[in-house]
Amino acid sequence: MLGAMARKTANDDPLAPVTVAVGQEDLLLDRAVREVVAAARAADPDTDVRDLTPDQLQPGTLAELTSPSLFAERKVVVVRGAQDLSADTVKDVKAYLGSPAEEITLVLLHAGGAKGKGLLDAARKAGAREVACPKMTKPADRLAFVRGEFRTAGRSATPEACQALCDAIGSDLRELASAVTQLVADIEGTIDEAVVGRYYTGRAEASSFTVADRAVEGRTAEALEALRWSLATGVAPVMITSVLAQGVRAIGKLSSARGGRPADLARELGMPPWKIDRVRQQMRGWTPDGVSVAMRAVAEADAGVKGGGDDPEYALEKAVVVIARAARSRGRG
């Protein structure tokens, strides 16, 4: 199974004569190839696999690779970067699509853009099996991917754990998949946010979020400890100011929004529902004045770390203290 985001057409037999894997997400493209190869080798352990780049597939090469052999061996022919094939080679491939050879499985990897679209259209028209391998630019897509990875592994992970993993690892799908594999191998039972924190809190993004979370919760000592740890492990100060700004902005957005269900607020404010719940808990001590003071402190820290001051570390510490104090402004007012 390719995970939640690699959608397939109704013709879902990996041994279909032609598969086109469309998109620019390398991990999903590689999985699409692996799935076909695994199915072919399950049917015939001696399957011959040819993995070719566009420059290796010259006019006439496909005909050689797909011509009947004395031994009628099963073969998988993988063509990467099919959008970059020469015009003459595209003619060969289009002709082949009209009468694919038995015992041969052709896999075309295509970026899916305008370049080489004629070949992609021809493959679709010929009824090729299609696997969508889109680049996951949206956080929601990566979150769905992580959930799908846990589901595929037959394991349960809380929504907070999936989100924490995305926050910690960032946008690299291979690293996200690898992290899920690691957690599934090491942890028994449900995987929760605390487990993810133990494993990945050393990651740059994760440690920045820890600084921001503790600061907007008014926990000064813990926020400063997380800040020093982040800086000591090489997190860029500019990343920390960015995440502090996100944390304070989220408080401001939610405190000025009308009440409502998390799902409605999530749509209105452009935040995932789980974050609405978390920010609601964090905003208890805040006042509108507190938000203004905190945003000013973040702006000053941002100027400090981008060259306006001599000591970025001091600028960040000052901001964290001001934010944590602002988080308790309701109690003092």
Side-chain angles (χ1 to χ4, degrees):
M1 186 168 169
L2 295 184
M5 298 308 297
R7 300 180 303 279
K8 300 178 221 167
T9 48
N11 173 13
D12 204 21
D13 175 10
L15 292 179
V18 181
T19 287
V20 283
V22 185
Q24 296 175 46
E25 186 52 73
D26 289 342
L27 174 74
L28 298 181
L29 291 166
D30 284 350
R31 285 187 178 182
V33 171
R34 280 209 307 272
E35 186 184 39
V36 172
V37 170
R41 290 201 162 135
D44 178 357
D46 295 328
T47 295
D48 180 23
V49 178
R50 301 296 176 90
D51 199 324
L52 307 168
T53 56
D55 57 331
Q56 290 172 314
L57 195 70
Q58 296 297 325
T61 309
L62 187 62
E64 283 172 37
L65 288 172
T66 57
S67 59
S69 78
L70 284 173
F71 308 106
E73 63 184 351
R74 184 179 283 279
K75 200 178 281 182
V76 176
V77 178
V78 179
V79 180
R80 295 182 185 269
Q83 72 279 355
D84 296 325
L85 291 170
S86 70
D88 286 339
T89 305
V90 167
K91 280 183 198 156
D92 280 3
V93 178
K94 284 183 176 174
Y96 176 81
L97 292 171
S99 55
E102 273 195 53
E103 300 295 313
I104 305 280
T105 304
L106 177 64
V107 185
L108 299 172
L109 274 51
H110 194 291
K115 190 177 183 188
K117 190 168 183 297
L119 176 57
L120 185 53
D121 290 344
R124 286 171 170 158
K125 195 172 172 187
R129 167 181 178 261
E130 185 169 337
V131 183
C133 304
K135 199 84 179 158
M136 292 188 199
T137 50
K138 293 180 183 164
D141 289 346
R142 292 194 287 273
L143 188 57
F145 170 77
V146 167
R147 285 186 183 139
E149 291 291 286
F150 280 117
R151 222 177 10 253
T152 301
R155 294 295 299 279
S156 124
T158 65
E160 294 80 8
C162 294
Q163 184 63 48
L165 200 57
C166 290
D167 289 345
I169 303 294
S171 59
D172 189 308
L173 230 57
R174 285 186 194 281
E175 288 200 24
L176 283 169
S178 165
V180 170
T181 304
Q182 176 86 49
L183 288 165
V184 164
D186 289 1
I187 305 298
E188 289 181 14
T190 299
I191 291 155
D192 61 18
E193 191 178 12
V195 167
V196 174
R198 275 206 308 279
Y199 267 68
Y200 296 103
T201 196
R203 305 297 297 248
E205 293 91 339
S207 55
S208 305
F209 281 99
T210 304
V211 176
D213 282 343
R214 297 301 85 83
V216 299
E217 288 160 7
R219 291 152 70 176
T220 312
E222 290 171 53
L224 288 171
E225 185 186 343
L227 172 64
R228 286 169 196 140
W229 194 90
S230 296
L231 292 167
T233 54
V235 180
V238 70
M239 176 183 277
I240 299 171
T241 51
S242 164
V243 176
L244 284 171
Q246 284 176 42
V248 176
R249 265 201 303 271
I251 301 277
K253 271 185 180 177
L254 196 54
S255 54
S256 60
R258 295 177 190 85
R261 294 180 310 136
D264 298 332
L265 284 167
R267 275 195 299 278
E268 186 187 330
L269 302 177
M271 294 181 199
W274 68 267
K275 189 160 187 180
I276 299 284
D277 291 334
R278 176 182 284 180
V279 176
R280 267 186 174 153
Q281 290 166 357
Q282 291 174 334
M283 63 188 265
R284 285 178 186 144
W286 285 85
T287 61
D289 284 348
V291 172
S292 302
V293 168
M295 281 311 295
R296 262 200 312 280
V298 171
E300 284 170 20
D302 194 47
V305 303
K306 287 177 178 169
D310 298 330
D311 189 345
E313 193 167 326
Y314 173 71
L316 283 167
E317 284 188 4
K318 188 176 162 192
V320 163
V321 170
V322 172
I323 292 166
R325 194 181 296 141
R328 298 192 297 273
S329 50
R330 194 181 296 281
R332 294 200 314 272

